[in-house]
Amino acid sequence: MRPLTLAWVRQHLTAGERIVRAEALHGGITAEVLRLTIGTRNGGTRGTRDLVLRSFVDPGYVVHAEDWLNREADALALLTGTGVPAPGLVAVDPTAAHCEYPSLLMTCLAGRTVLDDAGVHTRVPQLARQLVAIHAVRPVEPPRGYVALTTADTVVTPEGADEAVWAAAIDVIRKPAPPYEGRFLHRDFQPGNVLFDETLPQSAGARITGVVDWAAASWGPADLDVAHCSTVLALLHGPAWGLRFTEAYEEAGGVLAATASERLYWQVRDALACSEEVQQVVRPWQEAGRTELTTPVVEERLDAYVTALMAAAESCRHPAAFTDERPALPRDPLAGP
């Protein structure tokens, strides 16, 4: 640990406690994250009450750190006592007044992220129920509004994709955003930011123990959070799971936009946003062991998912032209011949 940051963390320990280990946690894109094992005065460790230090060290992200860390600190304070399993806020230094880099110190949660295909059918309903619970939080003062940086001019059409389909999808986000009822959003809710109980056997089913990375917490449409998790599931496990998550969210009691065209706007907006950062998305997945998820494979899945969204929208507009309730998905590149 860096000297100034180490001194700052020590200020927030109780008498007799010390840092005995700092372990890098992988999987994030924007920040350096360390798990700090805290030794106690009796020679033991805190265990489940260890700490996590999140620092923005990359110059490309430091410029956003003050906003992101303040959002996260506010979100963690808001979620205390709500039942949403978020870390507890210990301290925050959003402008690096005390540390070498803007940093946030929080409690450590039990569990681990699970990115494997095995068991995804049990995790998706759990993810949906957890997101419904997050959207049920009613802050006295809503956080700042969501930010959507993607524009029709910044979308990157994957090589080999059907340009006509992508052009139609891009046209969708040229329109103004639909009206919506505001909700408290995580804004990056997806498997990489959800912890599951690793002590349970797979047959016992998934159990969420924590939701982390609240740096983009915002106020906006529930559809936006649902669309983001759907896109990530489509890229991580195959396009069908992106479509399934929307169904699971509604089955869990979540309420989405009233019309198909309004839902399509948010679904397509998030999917197209991922087109600009496929390599960034792939890197932590490969570090976590999903080495088969190369950039070309993920781009193919993204293309298949966008194609499926547009086909579903077309079937709603012209239902007589389709004999099945749901249009067939393009072939998943990892599904074999």
Side-chain angles (χ1 to χ4, degrees):
M1 293 181 62
R2 300 172 182 88
L4 293 178
T5 304
L6 180 60
W8 178 72
V9 172
R10 284 174 172 162
Q11 293 175 9
H12 299 285
L13 303 180
T14 59
E17 290 186 330
R18 67 196 187 285
I19 301 168
V20 297
R21 185 183 182 194
E23 175 190 3
L25 299 179
H26 300 290
I29 295 175
T30 59
E32 176 185 274
V33 183
L34 299 177
R35 174 171 179 159
L36 308 180
T37 301
I38 307 301
T40 59
R41 65 170 67 200
N42 62 6
T45 62
R46 282 190 181 185
T48 56
R49 295 186 298 113
D50 286 341
L51 301 177
V52 171
L53 175 69
R54 178 177 169 90
S55 301
F56 288 89
V57 302
D58 188 307
Y61 296 119
V62 166
V63 294
H64 304 290
E66 182 176 3
D67 175 49
W68 289 344
L69 289 178
N70 281 327
R71 284 178 184 260
E72 184 158 29
D74 290 345
L76 297 185
L78 168 67
L79 292 168
T80 302
T82 63
V84 174
L89 176 65
V90 177
V92 63
D93 182 18
T95 61
H98 307 284
C99 305
E100 283 85 353
Y101 296 99
S103 300
L104 183 141
L105 189 64
M106 58 191 141
T107 59
C108 184
L109 299 176
R112 64 182 182 90
T113 57
V114 182
L115 305 180
D116 299 333
D117 287 336
V120 64
H121 64 287
T122 65
R123 295 194 300 274
V124 163
Q126 285 272 23
L127 290 168
R129 288 193 289 271
Q130 184 61 75
L131 190 54
V132 169
I134 291 170
H135 292 164
V137 173
R138 296 291 183 267
V140 175
E141 183 176 337
R144 281 164 286 182
Y146 73 90
V147 176
L149 300 179
T150 301
T151 70
D153 298 323
T154 58
V155 173
V156 179
T157 302
E159 184 177 350
D162 187 323
E163 294 191 5
V165 171
W166 276 72
I170 292 170
D171 283 342
V172 169
I173 67 169
R174 293 187 192 277
K175 303 171 185 175
Y180 61 85
E181 183 178 355
R183 288 285 184 270
F184 176 69
L185 306 181
H186 181 283
R187 199 60 182 93
D188 191 17
F189 184 86
Q190 43 92 3
N193 286 328
V194 179
L195 306 177
F196 286 89
D197 188 341
E198 58 187 339
T199 64
L200 292 175
Q202 188 173 342
S203 59
R207 183 175 73 85
I208 291 175
T209 58
V211 181
V212 299
D213 194 354
W214 295 86
S218 311
W219 190 254
D223 288 78
L224 197 53
D225 262 357
V226 174
H228 184 61
C229 191
S230 295
T231 300
V232 174
L233 287 169
L235 304 186
L236 189 59
H237 302 299
W241 288 107
L243 301 178
R244 172 69 187 115
F245 184 72
T246 300
E247 297 173 348
Y249 180 82
E250 291 188 291
E251 290 166 2
V255 178
L256 295 173
T259 69
S261 62
E262 291 173 338
R263 295 184 186 197
L264 180 67
Y265 176 88
W266 301 111
Q267 290 171 324
V268 167
R269 172 168 282 287
D270 191 86
L272 297 184
C274 279
S275 75
E276 303 173 32
E277 51 188 23
V278 171
Q279 289 183 327
Q280 287 180 297
V281 170
V282 165
R283 178 176 54 79
W285 291 349
Q286 291 189 326
E287 290 175 352
R290 295 295 306 272
T291 54
E292 79 282 12
L293 294 179
T294 63
T295 297
V297 165
V298 172
E299 286 179 337
E300 281 191 61
R301 284 186 169 182
L302 179 60
D303 177 37
Y305 181 55
V306 169
T307 299
L309 290 176
M310 298 306 293
E314 187 65 19
S315 70
C316 289
R317 284 193 291 268
H318 306 288
F322 291 81
T323 57
D324 296 324
E325 182 180 352
R326 184 185 302 162
L329 285 168
R331 186 184 69 83
D332 185 339
L334 291 184

